[in-house]
Amino acid sequence: MASIVGVRFAAFIPQPYLEHHVEESSIVIQFNGNDREFTYYTEDEPEKSKMAQHIVCDFSNQVIHHYKSTGPTTETMSDNNTGEVLREAHGHAATDGLLLTDSSISDHQATFKVIGCASNPLREEAPAIDWEYAVTVSNSGEVRVVGTQDGYPAHEIYKRVDGGTPVTIYQHDPRKTGDTPAALLPPMEYSVNKTVE
């Protein structure tokens, strides 16, 4: 039986940046991405995700720990003709939309709900990245995740038992599905129902 089962949820932009060309001008606006592929190993690098929640179920002490983070956002406005940087702004999304609710744990099972909601801190009108999952974790190491998520950006869910090798529960890659930042608008497009032993 497992003593510690961790479940990690993260959303990230695989590209180095997103670019928007202002119509009928030479102005280009770029927002930083996370410039990475799918990986569990971003626990100590919040800048590698736009938002993340890491839940640790400690069956020995019957306690659930919740860790949450958001990554930094940089907006660069430049003149495409001259390369001159006209403006640069930096921000950091709040973590108050990253919630753990309805949590309970016994010596053999933990249940909880994770709600993730974080938006671009430099654009008030920007829709948020969203997810909402109900999770059941067994002390055998089995994890079940049921819920919904936005189609953008990339999403990943992993489990890790007693510090062993992380196991992928779910991945969503907008580069393969064709989803764009427009998928941040309600409702959440994708349903998730995964059980990994």
Side-chain angles (χ1 to χ4, degrees):
M1 295 297 115
S3 295
I4 302 286
V5 179
V7 187
R8 182 165 180 78
F9 307 82
F12 66 97
I13 297 173
Q15 296 87 350
Y17 57 85
L18 297 178
E19 191 168 89
H20 170 68
H21 292 261
V22 178
E23 286 184 29
E24 298 180 8
S25 80
S26 62
I27 302 300
V28 176
I29 299 172
Q30 292 180 335
F31 288 96
N32 68 305
N34 300 111
D35 194 19
R36 72 170 176 92
E37 294 299 323
F38 291 92
T39 179
Y40 170 91
Y41 296 104
T42 58
E43 292 169 287
D44 299 319
E45 298 177 281
E47 70 278 4
K48 293 290 187 179
S49 301
K50 288 302 174 185
M51 71 179 191
Q53 288 178 270
H54 194 102
I55 316 301
V56 177
C57 301
D58 181 343
F59 288 103
S60 298
N61 297 301
Q62 294 185 30
V63 149
I64 298 175
H65 300 283
H66 178 215
Y67 306 94
K68 57 187 179 177
S69 65
T70 58
T73 298
T74 300
E75 177 186 6
T76 305
M77 180 185 292
S78 57
D79 187 315
N80 204 30
N81 292 336
T82 66
E84 179 188 0
V85 174
L86 305 173
R87 182 169 68 88
E88 189 168 273
H90 303 275
H92 210 114
T95 59
D96 55 2
L98 307 181
L99 306 174
L100 176 72
T101 67
D102 304 330
S103 62
S104 68
I105 188 168
S106 67
D107 61 353
H108 66 280
Q109 182 176 275
T111 59
F112 54 87
K113 187 176 183 180
V114 289
I115 299 169
C117 180
S119 59
N120 183 333
L122 301 177
R123 292 293 172 117
E124 215 172 275
E125 74 284 1
I129 301 168
D130 294 292
W131 63 51
E132 193 169 309
Y133 301 117
V135 184
T136 303
V137 180
S138 166
N139 69 348
S140 68
E142 181 180 278
V143 176
R144 182 175 189 217
V145 178
V146 178
T148 53
Q149 50 126 122
D150 280 336
Y152 193 86
H155 291 255
E156 57 189 0
I157 307 173
Y158 304 96
K159 73 166 188 170
R160 191 177 193 186
V161 179
D162 288 333
T165 302
V167 175
T168 300
I169 297 173
Y170 174 78
Q171 293 177 337
H172 168 78
D173 190 341
R175 295 169 297 183
K176 293 181 178 177
T177 61
D179 289 295
T180 69
L184 293 170
L185 293 164
M188 290 184 261
E189 292 86 357
Y190 289 87
S191 295
V192 178
N193 189 340
K194 296 286 185 180
T195 301
V196 177
E197 295 183 355

